[in-house]
Amino acid sequence: MRILVTGGAGFIGSHYVRTLLEGGYPGYEFARVTVLDALTYAGNRSNLPASHPRLEFVHGDICDLPLLLDLLPGHDAVVHFAAESHVDRSVASSAPFFRTNVVGTQTLLDACLATDVQRFVHVSTDEVYGSIEQGSWTEEWPLLPNSPYAASKAGSDLVARSYWRTHGLDISITRCSNNYGPYQHPEKLIPLFTTNLLRGLPVPLYGDGRNIREWLHVDDHCRAIQLVLAGGRAGEVYNVGGGNEQTNVDITQRLLRLCGADPSLVRRAADRKGHDLRYSLDESKIRDELGYAPRIGFEEGLAATVAWYRDNGTWWQAGRTAESPAGRAA
Ligand code: NAD
């Protein structure tokens, strides 16, 4: 089994690859992995083992068709994480989002078609559904993305679906809620707040802080992706949720406690343009079909995450050189 992982030097992709190489996915203990990553500001080669007998790292762009045509033959599957992923950056400048997320996905799928690599897991997000005041989205909900990031991901989902329907590629799509855990770039909400609070620096809370997100540990997300890779059906979408709904105020209070920081460090900031109020996924399909269930409780996972940032200052201090335009996230 040989798997090409795009974006494998980023937050979620690197967690997936490390777990795979450590033998964390039954049946895939001998899988060989090729990571293709452009090492943008969000990618970090040191998120992966420096060397491993089953890992090959390729520094390259998913929009580079000749590179893909060269690289893909011999692979059994693609797990596609590579994306521009930060909403605030997409509000400031959306062109890189449509280039990588839409054109990059289409280029990758064309290369799969040309090289007969059939199995493809497209990693997407709950943000494609928009915002929901009550209840939860099933996979049948219409796509109503509100930010340029979400629109570019929705576009990539539709490109992926079309390559299944038109060309018969064996494509499954996952849509997950907000992730947290170690190795997340310090521009995103939990690492930004944690690394600021640990240093006694202020944290910027958007608007009234009542926006609700469902938080899932990255390890649970990656296990769900693996279940979809191994058993997901072609042409199907799988929501991945089951995390914990929290307002941004709740998250901030938890982080203040875990970091032992003073509440006066919280500064109200002007709200993000078009800020979605609430995301919530109905994930019964992946539970019923593939036996998915999250394993890491939010309290336990958040405490371990804060401890990781406390212990790994050299990792995140390097990442802070390229902070987001607005310097905060969700
Ligand atoms: P990330 O920003 O941490 O990592 C993205 C990776 O993709 C980086 O290593 C970057 O170098 C690479 N990359 C960017 N452009 C590239 C290109 N043109 N060619 C090759 N590599 C490129 O993102 P993440 O948080 O790990 O998210 C991974 C995937 O999961 C994304 O598709 C995202 O939409 C999705 N997702 C993320 C979350 C979340 O909470 N972070 C939730 C649901 C879904």
Side-chain angles (χ1 to χ4, degrees):
M1 168 68 70
R2 225 174 136 204
I3 303 174
L4 182 86
V5 178
T6 71
F11 165 47
I12 305 172
S14 71
H15 189 95
Y16 177 78
V17 171
R18 288 192 307 273
T19 310
L20 191 59
L21 294 175
E22 286 159 10
Y25 300 130
Y28 285 70
E29 291 86 349
F30 302 107
R32 286 187 292 151
V33 183
T34 305
V35 167
L36 173 64
D37 198 296
L39 296 179
T40 67
Y41 78 95
N44 186 339
R45 178 62 184 84
S46 72
N47 292 353
L48 295 167
S51 67
H52 189 288
R54 290 188 285 112
L55 172 66
E56 184 188 351
F57 183 84
V58 177
H59 183 190
D61 192 323
I62 57 166
C63 298
D64 183 344
L65 185 62
L67 169 69
L68 295 171
L69 294 176
D70 197 38
L71 199 57
L72 272 163
H75 288 86
D76 301 292
V78 172
V79 183
H80 177 35
F81 293 93
E84 288 293 336
S85 69
H86 188 31
V87 176
D88 285 334
R89 285 181 186 265
S90 81
V91 173
S93 168
S94 67
F97 286 75
F98 290 96
R99 177 189 179 275
T100 286
N101 300 359
V102 182
V103 177
T105 300
Q106 168 254 313
T107 309
L108 197 53
L109 287 164
D110 273 342
C112 287
L113 208 53
T115 57
D116 199 29
V117 176
Q118 293 283 323
R119 185 73 186 122
F120 191 103
V121 176
H122 176 63
V123 179
S124 190
T125 167
D126 59 357
E127 303 200 24
V128 297
Y129 296 118
S131 184
I132 187 165
E133 283 194 21
Q134 289 182 331
S136 302
W137 296 297
T138 64
E139 289 82 356
E140 277 69 47
W141 276 70
L143 303 188
L144 292 170
N146 289 322
S147 71
Y149 162 67
S152 69
K153 291 296 292 187
S156 68
D157 287 19
L158 297 180
V159 172
R161 184 191 139 80
S162 77
Y163 276 67
W164 160 70
R165 187 74 175 82
T166 301
H167 298 294
L169 287 183
D170 184 3
I171 298 171
S172 307
I173 297 171
T174 60
R175 293 189 183 135
C176 188
S177 57
N178 275 30
N179 283 212
Y180 70 97
Y183 294 95
Q184 188 170 28
H185 192 282
E187 69 183 356
K188 302 279 171 67
L189 184 123
I190 288 180
L192 175 72
F193 279 29
T194 302
T195 56
N196 274 14
L197 294 173
L198 287 173
R199 292 177 300 160
L201 297 176
V203 292
L205 185 64
Y206 272 144
D208 61 10
R210 284 175 200 270
N211 307 73
I212 296 173
R213 299 291 180 267
E214 192 179 346
W215 292 92
L216 188 71
H217 194 277
V218 63
D219 193 61
D220 285 322
H221 182 192
C222 288
R223 199 157 27 76
I225 289 167
Q226 180 61 24
L227 287 170
V228 171
L229 173 67
R233 287 181 293 137
E236 294 293 323
V237 175
Y238 295 90
N239 287 344
V240 183
N244 206 293
E245 277 196 26
Q246 300 276 332
T247 65
N248 286 349
V249 169
D250 292 336
I251 293 279
T252 306
Q253 281 166 353
R254 284 174 185 277
L255 292 175
L256 283 167
R257 272 199 305 280
L258 286 165
C259 295
D262 194 283
S264 65
L265 289 173
V266 180
R267 306 284 153 80
R268 297 288 172 163
D271 207 356
R272 168 192 279 163
K273 280 189 191 174
H275 204 176
D276 288 333
L277 182 64
R278 177 173 174 265
Y279 301 150
S280 180
L281 287 170
D282 177 334
E283 86 285 7
S284 44
K285 179 173 172 181
I286 191 170
R287 282 184 189 261
D288 296 347
E289 262 189 40
L290 301 175
Y292 162 78
R295 291 182 183 158
I296 302 181
F298 187 64
E299 298 234 345
E300 165 208 351
L302 192 65
T305 300
V306 169
W308 187 88
Y309 281 94
R310 187 178 273 124
D311 295 343
N312 289 278
T314 40
W315 182 88
W316 53 261
Q317 269 147 21
R320 292 192 76 96
T321 52
E323 278 188 2
S324 82
R328 52 190 181 270

